[in-house]
Amino acid sequence: MVWMESPDSLEALAFGRPDHGWRRRWFVVMFEADTTAGRLFDIVLLLLVSASVLVVLLETVQGLAQPYAGLFLALEWVFTLLFTAEYVARLTCVQRPLRYAGSFFGLVDLAAVVPMYLATLVPGLHVLIDIRVLRMLRAFRILKLTEYMHEYGHLGGALYASRRKILVFLSAVAMLVVVLGTVMYVVEGPGNGFTSIPVAIYWAITTMTTVGFGDITPKTNLGRAVSSIVMLLGWGILAVPTGIVTAEMTSRRLWGGPSRRCGSCGNEVHAAEARYCHRCGTVLG
Amino acid sequence: MVWMESPDSLEALAFGRPDHGWRRRWFVVMFEADTTAGRLFDIVLLLLVSASVLVVLLETVQGLAQPYAGLFLALEWVFTLLFTAEYVARLTCVQRPLRYAGSFFGLVDLAAVVPMYLATLVPGLHVLIDIRVLRMLRAFRILKLTEYMHEYGHLGGALYASRRKILVFLSAVAMLVVVLGTVMYVVEGPGNGFTSIPVAIYWAITTMTTVGFGDITPKTNLGRAVSSIVMLLGWGILAVPTGIVTAEMTSRRLWGGPSRRCGSCGNEVHAAEARYCHRCGTVLG
Amino acid sequence: MVWMESPDSLEALAFGRPDHGWRRRWFVVMFEADTTAGRLFDIVLLLLVSASVLVVLLETVQGLAQPYAGLFLALEWVFTLLFTAEYVARLTCVQRPLRYAGSFFGLVDLAAVVPMYLATLVPGLHVLIDIRVLRMLRAFRILKLTEYMHEYGHLGGALYASRRKILVFLSAVAMLVVVLGTVMYVVEGPGNGFTSIPVAIYWAITTMTTVGFGDITPKTNLGRAVSSIVMLLGWGILAVPTGIVTAEMTSRRLWGGPSRRCGSCGNEVHAAEARYCHRCGTVLG
Amino acid sequence: MVWMESPDSLEALAFGRPDHGWRRRWFVVMFEADTTAGRLFDIVLLLLVSASVLVVLLETVQGLAQPYAGLFLALEWVFTLLFTAEYVARLTCVQRPLRYAGSFFGLVDLAAVVPMYLATLVPGLHVLIDIRVLRMLRAFRILKLTEYMHEYGHLGGALYASRRKILVFLSAVAMLVVVLGTVMYVVEGPGNGFTSIPVAIYWAITTMTTVGFGDITPKTNLGRAVSSIVMLLGWGILAVPTGIVTAEMTSRRLWGGPSRRCGSCGNEVHAAEARYCHRCGTVLG
């Protein structure tokens, strides 16, 4: 059966979409979302992934772990087998299976099924619980809903374009918390909860990001003064730019443009169309 | 009496405004705010709603519940009867009563009076207190003050227009807190307060939104390191965009446009009108 | 002595500036900041006000209150007498003293000196300490530094212009904390710290503003789920608009304009100059 | 050997770059980043600084201080000697060594090596630990990576350009926390944790910046009401402008321009191209 020509999606180009046959039908359903079947597959997958994530979640709730242990284990196996079948199907219907296996989603899909098999091979280790929670990564498969991929791509693109500015900003924050954390370690000391510089840096991050757990708090007056600086920095980094941007926009809205300062008398001129300073009469630059 | 022609309001079109008579007079007063009577009705209603909300509030304050129990009960009945009369009047004076009864505000108005009657029919149940607090929903009636409805509509319209972006953003946050919460559960463990993955996810939300109650805090060094990532994520999501937007606006203000990067030497060119890179001389794209 | 003509300041117009003589000289020095004497007066006043605020501060520190009680009292009287002299001077040198006495700053200046005299008249009352702290209001006199008044005026003007939007926003927040606080009161109950609806509303404000003291925290699973909603609301109100604005600006920067959605196939078109949808070929509206 | 002409960098102009010889070679490598050697030097320096910062960090961790004391001391001396050699090399290869010694980075470089020598000269004092942590300031040397200096300069320039607005904003915040802190001291009192006005101001900063440690919390109803005001102020300063800016941008996107208000009937007109109010027919200004 020849499928109608559809434009080449990212997946078609990257992994290789077959030209005809059941392999093409499967590819279109599993990797693309143009057709009704494709969209239906995506929704069913989303539901299965959410359900499997929910099971991992509930297994850790003490009140539920014992009574439903059998049910949870059975469900885990059902999900694992379904996802394994899906993984094998994906590998089969692309032209370049290694490309898919090495891609981000290929790895996530593999990590979603391997833990259960590992747990069977290496029984009795405490770490089994830890391995199983890797299946939480299946949550990232929700990102694959192609319709929304564009939105994520858009978001990711914006972040990538500004990567330099982000790196600079984060390194400035890193230096601040290292230096301020060290200051607090020296000022407060281990007796007051600041047991080492790394712990003091953790406190500095807690305070600068305005989270403020309260597990470690300054006890001395100087410590509280330094804390105030950290708090005002962390909050100010949000508040000052927000206020400046608003002032600019309001200026533009009320007076037709940002305010200017007269070179002669330092007076602030708001009216955008003004040509002379209303205070000293000098021509405005 | 024939009323002067007034433009068709949303309510007139949705619920059907009578053409003449007392039904029209009542409609204009209760559903619209063009006339003095209409605005007065809105203000009186606002005061009554605020007063009834205040009574529900005060009933729960232990120092006041006993001494004033009789007064509160009497006031509750007065409010309920007034709101019932208003509800019946609204149903009566529209042309399509079922439309109103099924609308958001119709349901809120109904939920505002039903609990008291239910409480009478089903006496002695502890849940009576819970049902009565549904009257708090009357607070939403304040939204109906038509003059400000436009502002809320404006706000709601902005949210609706960006619903895709909001959904994408919130789902990314959901996935982050699920995965990071799971990591913290594995790293810290139930002995340190992270009693189950759902609880760890609650902690992750507390931390990422920078609320930081402190009822659950990391005790291990690795846990504190992971916490730092969650905190910087939650705060960074606010701080990084704010900083980028400010840099853009300041760039525009100081140099006439955003900064550009030279294709040859990677130098950052600020002057918007520059045609050549001032460092290597290449023509700027 | 005839003073050189200076443009009419706000104060000159409001309070009435004398035309000549010592009264005019004092007016120019105390109410305006065009002259060197005027600016010097402002700086000296700022220092005196900061010093008097510092004294009130230090009086409450237990370690300092007893040893320095005499010094503090003496300083308080010096400040009070200086500020009283200044107040009388201001009243004397304006043409419309009642205008000044009734203005915001006139009232602040009065409140700055009255407490000390009251304390002398009504000795021995515990509330004396409370009255004296009213002098903290002198801190607002720092606002009067004319050069920066324009900046504050600018800030105040921006707030005033958007007063409707601010009121609508704040009332929406008020309704949310009332309803969500009530829900938490019903879900958690007085036994878990939510002793009454007003206290639950205080908790809701603590959580929605992401402050998160931790003095009251949810103990039940449903309570923690509702808390998560409150936290995501409070943080989301900051994060969602910030993200949307950034996406808009980046879109404009990278693709020359915001992205559009094709009416036929729903595809997202980024290139601002595109006339046809690159996916289905339909003309873009 | 004559070096190829490279454009004058900030450092070349400020400190004086030699014209030829090994001094010029060293200058280009250490102070500039145009050449491969220059960039390599920067990366090696970054690694050395990070390693030395890490050693200071780990020395304070109780579990590691004793076992590795010897290793840490040896590493400290290696770093100190390397950085001393670098400092001397820098002084030697510039034409104006005093200029460099007095600059910000010159002072940081000096502060990075002096503490170790001081500790040797003045042994046995407890403050030795404190002096050594000054080496944390080396973290600021990471700022010198020339490529990113432009980004920091850009950020610093934006801050400098808006310094008045920032100062005004911060002073308004200072006055608010002084007055609100005083109010809370009077309302709650020393018995509830607000032991003095300075402590109450520290609490006010904690609350307004939405950090909310929880080490001090209001116990009285009036105190909780005042707290709510402080919390809404601190969060609102972030939320209100963000919301207004978003409303403006969405308005521009959806309706081609910000909304206007009709002078006659107060109706809000969204369509930017409208010439008549759609409610009362008046021409729009």
Side-chain angles (χ1 to χ4, degrees):
Chain A
M1 191 186 301
V2 172
W3 214 249
M4 191 180 80
E5 281 302 305
S6 43
D8 282 353
S9 62
L10 282 169
E11 293 82 5
L13 293 166
F15 305 137
R17 178 179 59 198
D19 295 313
H20 58 270
W22 61 268
R23 286 179 74 203
R24 180 177 179 111
R25 224 176 302 151
W26 281 20
F27 188 100
V28 169
V29 167
M30 290 199 292
F31 284 93
E32 293 170 351
D34 299 339
T35 61
T36 316
R39 269 189 283 270
L40 195 71
F41 179 81
D42 280 341
I43 291 171
V44 168
L45 195 64
L46 169 61
L47 291 172
L48 282 176
V49 169
S50 306
S52 80
V53 162
L54 192 68
V55 167
V56 181
L57 229 85
L58 294 176
E59 278 180 320
T60 63
V61 179
Q62 285 119 327
L64 298 174
Q66 317 297 45
Y68 295 97
L71 172 68
F72 287 155
L73 191 65
L75 282 170
E76 283 284 5
W77 274 114
V78 167
F79 289 131
T80 306
L81 291 170
L82 281 172
F83 291 136
T84 313
E86 184 217 351
Y87 185 68
V88 167
R90 284 183 188 266
L91 281 175
T92 318
C93 77
V94 295
Q95 287 176 332
R96 292 186 283 271
L98 288 175
R99 267 282 184 85
Y100 167 71
S103 72
F104 175 69
F105 283 116
L107 292 166
V108 167
D109 289 346
L110 190 65
V113 298
V114 155
M116 273 303 278
Y117 297 116
L118 271 180
T120 317
L121 292 168
V122 197
L125 291 170
H126 183 72
V127 75
L128 284 176
I129 300 164
D130 304 340
I131 291 175
R132 284 209 295 272
V133 299
L134 275 176
R135 283 170 309 197
M136 279 310 215
L137 287 173
R138 288 179 195 156
F140 281 125
R141 302 192 63 182
I142 297 169
L143 282 172
K144 287 175 70 176
L145 294 180
T146 326
E147 196 132 314
Y148 289 96
M149 257 305 274
H150 285 141
E151 301 284 357
Y152 280 115
H154 195 189
L155 186 68
L159 288 175
Y160 186 75
S162 314
R163 64 195 180 286
R164 258 181 206 269
K165 286 191 169 70
I166 292 176
L167 200 68
V168 160
F169 178 73
L170 290 180
S171 59
V173 169
M175 281 183 280
L176 277 169
V177 293
V178 164
V179 175
L180 290 165
T182 306
V183 171
M184 281 304 281
Y185 170 79
V186 168
V187 166
E188 289 278 329
N192 284 328
F194 294 80
T195 52
S196 66
I197 293 186
V199 166
I201 290 174
Y202 158 77
W203 171 88
I205 294 176
T206 301
T207 305
M208 199 157 154
T209 56
T210 75
V211 170
F213 281 132
D215 50 350
I216 306 168
T217 51
K219 304 288 187 290
T220 66
N221 283 329
L222 181 59
R224 284 171 168 171
V226 176
S227 298
S228 301
I229 292 172
V230 184
M231 294 192 265
L232 286 165
L233 258 176
W235 177 76
I237 284 176
L238 298 179
V240 167
T242 307
I244 290 178
V245 170
T246 308
E248 282 297 322
M249 296 207 76
T250 316
S251 201
R252 233 160 268 192
R253 188 180 175 189
L254 290 177
W255 296 293
S259 54
R260 293 167 291 167
R261 199 166 283 283
C262 171
S264 293
C265 68
N267 182 46
E268 182 133 1
V269 177
H270 292 296
E273 72 277 4
R275 303 222 310 260
Y276 298 95
C277 169
H278 59 263
R279 189 164 169 190
C280 69
T282 320
V283 170
L284 292 166
Chain B
M1 191 186 301
V2 173
W3 213 248
M4 189 179 81
E5 280 304 305
S6 44
D8 283 352
S9 62
L10 283 168
E11 293 84 4
L13 294 165
F15 305 137
R17 178 179 60 198
D19 295 314
H20 59 268
W22 62 268
R23 286 179 75 203
R24 181 179 179 108
R25 224 176 302 150
W26 281 20
F27 189 100
V28 168
V29 166
M30 289 200 294
F31 284 95
E32 294 170 351
D34 299 339
T35 61
T36 317
R39 270 189 283 270
L40 196 72
F41 179 80
D42 280 342
I43 291 171
V44 167
L45 195 62
L46 169 61
L47 291 171
L48 282 177
V49 169
S50 307
S52 81
V53 161
L54 193 69
V55 166
V56 181
L57 227 85
L58 294 175
E59 278 180 320
T60 62
V61 179
Q62 285 117 329
L64 299 174
Q66 317 298 46
Y68 296 96
L71 172 67
F72 287 155
L73 192 65
L75 282 170
E76 282 284 5
W77 273 114
V78 167
F79 288 131
T80 306
L81 291 171
L82 280 172
F83 291 136
T84 314
E86 184 219 348
Y87 185 70
V88 166
R90 285 183 187 267
L91 282 175
T92 318
C93 76
V94 296
Q95 286 176 332
R96 291 184 284 270
L98 288 175
R99 268 283 183 84
Y100 168 70
S103 72
F104 174 69
F105 282 117
L107 292 166
V108 167
D109 289 346
L110 189 65
V113 297
V114 154
M116 276 301 279
Y117 298 116
L118 271 180
T120 319
L121 293 167
V122 197
L125 292 169
H126 183 72
V127 75
L128 285 176
I129 300 164
D130 304 340
I131 291 176
R132 283 208 294 270
V133 299
L134 274 177
R135 283 171 308 203
M136 278 311 216
L137 286 173
R138 288 178 195 156
F140 281 126
R141 303 193 64 181
I142 297 169
L143 282 172
K144 287 176 72 174
L145 293 182
T146 327
E147 195 131 315
Y148 289 96
M149 257 305 275
H150 285 141
E151 301 285 356
Y152 280 115
H154 195 191
L155 186 69
L159 288 175
Y160 185 74
S162 313
R163 63 193 181 287
R164 260 181 204 267
K165 284 191 171 69
I166 293 176
L167 199 67
V168 160
F169 179 73
L170 290 180
S171 60
V173 169
M175 281 183 279
L176 277 169
V177 293
V178 162
V179 174
L180 290 166
T182 306
V183 171
M184 281 304 282
Y185 170 77
V186 169
V187 166
E188 290 277 329
N192 285 329
F194 293 80
T195 51
S196 65
I197 294 186
V199 167
I201 291 175
Y202 158 76
W203 170 89
I205 293 176
T206 300
T207 306
M208 199 157 153
T209 57
T210 76
V211 170
F213 282 131
D215 50 351
I216 306 169
T217 50
K219 305 287 186 292
T220 66
N221 285 329
L222 181 59
R224 283 171 167 170
V226 177
S227 299
S228 301
I229 292 173
V230 184
M231 295 192 265
L232 286 165
L233 257 175
W235 176 78
I237 284 177
L238 299 179
V240 168
T242 307
I244 290 178
V245 170
T246 307
E248 282 296 322
M249 297 208 74
T250 316
S251 199
R252 233 160 267 193
R253 187 178 176 190
L254 291 175
W255 295 292
S259 53
R260 294 167 290 167
R261 199 165 283 285
C262 170
S264 294
C265 68
N267 181 47
E268 181 133 1
V269 178
H270 292 297
E273 73 277 4
R275 302 223 311 259
Y276 298 94
C277 168
H278 60 264
R279 190 163 171 190
C280 68
T282 320
V283 172
L284 293 165
Chain C
M1 189 189 301
V2 172
W3 213 249
M4 189 182 78
E5 282 302 306
S6 43
D8 283 354
S9 61
L10 283 169
E11 292 82 5
L13 293 165
F15 305 138
R17 177 180 59 197
D19 296 313
H20 58 270
W22 62 269
R23 285 179 75 204
R24 181 180 177 107
R25 224 176 302 151
W26 281 20
F27 188 99
V28 168
V29 166
M30 290 200 293
F31 284 94
E32 294 170 349
D34 299 338
T35 61
T36 317
R39 270 189 282 271
L40 196 71
F41 178 80
D42 280 341
I43 291 169
V44 168
L45 195 63
L46 170 59
L47 291 170
L48 282 176
V49 169
S50 306
S52 80
V53 162
L54 193 69
V55 167
V56 181
L57 228 85
L58 294 174
E59 278 180 319
T60 62
V61 178
Q62 284 118 330
L64 298 173
Q66 316 298 44
Y68 294 98
L71 172 67
F72 286 157
L73 191 65
L75 283 170
E76 283 283 5
W77 273 114
V78 167
F79 288 131
T80 306
L81 290 171
L82 281 172
F83 291 137
T84 312
E86 184 219 349
Y87 185 68
V88 166
R90 285 182 187 267
L91 281 175
T92 317
C93 76
V94 295
Q95 286 177 332
R96 292 185 284 270
L98 288 176
R99 269 284 183 84
Y100 167 71
S103 72
F104 174 70
F105 282 118
L107 292 167
V108 167
D109 289 346
L110 189 66
V113 298
V114 154
M116 274 302 278
Y117 297 117
L118 271 180
T120 319
L121 293 169
V122 198
L125 291 171
H126 183 71
V127 76
L128 285 175
I129 300 163
D130 303 341
I131 290 176
R132 284 209 293 270
V133 301
L134 274 178
R135 282 171 309 201
M136 278 310 218
L137 286 173
R138 287 179 196 155
F140 281 127
R141 302 192 66 183
I142 298 166
L143 281 172
K144 286 175 75 174
L145 294 179
T146 326
E147 195 131 315
Y148 289 96
M149 257 305 277
H150 285 140
E151 301 285 355
Y152 279 116
H154 194 188
L155 186 68
L159 287 174
Y160 185 75
S162 314
R163 64 193 181 287
R164 258 180 206 267
K165 284 191 171 67
I166 294 176
L167 199 68
V168 160
F169 179 73
L170 290 179
S171 60
V173 169
M175 280 183 279
L176 277 169
V177 293
V178 163
V179 174
L180 290 165
T182 306
V183 171
M184 280 305 283
Y185 169 78
V186 168
V187 165
E188 289 278 328
N192 284 329
F194 293 79
T195 51
S196 65
I197 294 187
V199 167
I201 291 175
Y202 158 76
W203 170 89
I205 294 176
T206 300
T207 307
M208 198 157 155
T209 57
T210 75
V211 169
F213 282 132
D215 50 351
I216 306 170
T217 50
K219 305 288 186 294
T220 66
N221 284 329
L222 181 59
R224 284 170 167 169
V226 177
S227 300
S228 301
I229 292 173
V230 184
M231 295 192 265
L232 286 165
L233 257 176
W235 176 78
I237 284 177
L238 299 179
V240 167
T242 307
I244 290 179
V245 170
T246 308
E248 281 296 322
M249 297 208 73
T250 316
S251 200
R252 234 161 266 193
R253 188 178 176 190
L254 290 176
W255 296 293
S259 53
R260 293 169 290 166
R261 196 165 285 284
C262 170
S264 293
C265 67
N267 181 44
E268 181 131 2
V269 178
H270 292 297
E273 71 279 3
R275 300 219 316 256
Y276 298 94
C277 169
H278 60 263
R279 188 163 172 191
C280 69
T282 320
V283 171
L284 293 166
Chain D
M1 189 189 300
V2 172
W3 213 250
M4 190 182 77
E5 282 301 306
S6 43
D8 283 354
S9 61
L10 284 170
E11 292 82 5
L13 293 166
F15 303 138
R17 178 179 58 200
D19 295 314
H20 57 271
W22 61 270
R23 287 180 73 204
R24 179 175 179 113
R25 225 175 300 151
W26 281 22
F27 187 101
V28 169
V29 167
M30 289 201 292
F31 284 94
E32 293 171 351
D34 299 339
T35 61
T36 316
R39 270 190 283 269
L40 196 71
F41 178 81
D42 280 342
I43 291 171
V44 168
L45 195 64
L46 169 61
L47 292 172
L48 282 176
V49 169
S50 306
S52 80
V53 161
L54 192 68
V55 167
V56 182
L57 228 85
L58 294 175
E59 278 180 319
T60 62
V61 178
Q62 285 118 329
L64 299 173
Q66 317 297 45
Y68 294 98
L71 173 67
F72 287 155
L73 191 65
L75 282 169
E76 282 284 4
W77 273 115
V78 167
F79 289 132
T80 305
L81 291 171
L82 280 172
F83 290 136
T84 312
E86 184 218 350
Y87 185 68
V88 167
R90 286 183 186 265
L91 282 175
T92 317
C93 76
V94 295
Q95 287 177 332
R96 293 186 282 271
L98 288 176
R99 268 283 183 83
Y100 167 70
S103 72
F104 174 69
F105 282 117
L107 292 166
V108 167
D109 289 345
L110 190 66
V113 298
V114 155
M116 274 303 277
Y117 297 117
L118 271 181
T120 317
L121 292 169
V122 198
L125 291 171
H126 182 72
V127 76
L128 286 175
I129 299 163
D130 302 341
I131 290 175
R132 285 210 292 270
V133 300
L134 274 177
R135 285 170 308 199
M136 279 310 215
L137 287 174
R138 288 178 196 155
F140 281 127
R141 302 192 63 182
I142 297 168
L143 282 173
K144 288 176 73 175
L145 294 180
T146 324
E147 195 131 314
Y148 289 96
M149 256 306 275
H150 285 140
E151 300 285 355
Y152 280 115
H154 194 188
L155 185 68
L159 287 174
Y160 185 75
S162 314
R163 66 194 180 286
R164 260 181 205 267
K165 285 191 170 69
I166 293 176
L167 199 68
V168 160
F169 178 73
L170 290 178
S171 60
V173 169
M175 281 182 280
L176 277 169
V177 293
V178 163
V179 175
L180 290 166
T182 307
V183 171
M184 281 304 282
Y185 170 78
V186 169
V187 166
E188 289 278 329
N192 284 329
F194 293 80
T195 51
S196 66
I197 293 187
V199 167
I201 291 175
Y202 158 77
W203 170 89
I205 293 175
T206 301
T207 306
M208 199 157 154
T209 56
T210 74
V211 168
F213 283 132
D215 51 350
I216 307 168
T217 51
K219 304 289 186 291
T220 66
N221 284 330
L222 181 59
R224 284 172 168 169
V226 176
S227 299
S228 301
I229 292 173
V230 184
M231 295 193 265
L232 286 165
L233 257 176
W235 176 78
I237 284 177
L238 300 178
V240 167
T242 308
I244 290 179
V245 170
T246 309
E248 281 297 321
M249 297 208 73
T250 316
S251 199
R252 234 160 266 193
R253 187 178 176 190
L254 289 178
W255 295 293
S259 55
R260 293 168 290 166
R261 200 166 283 285
C262 171
S264 291
C265 67
N267 181 44
E268 180 132 3
V269 178
H270 291 296
E273 71 280 3
R275 301 219 316 255
Y276 299 95
C277 168
H278 60 264
R279 190 164 171 190
C280 68
T282 320
V283 170
L284 293 166

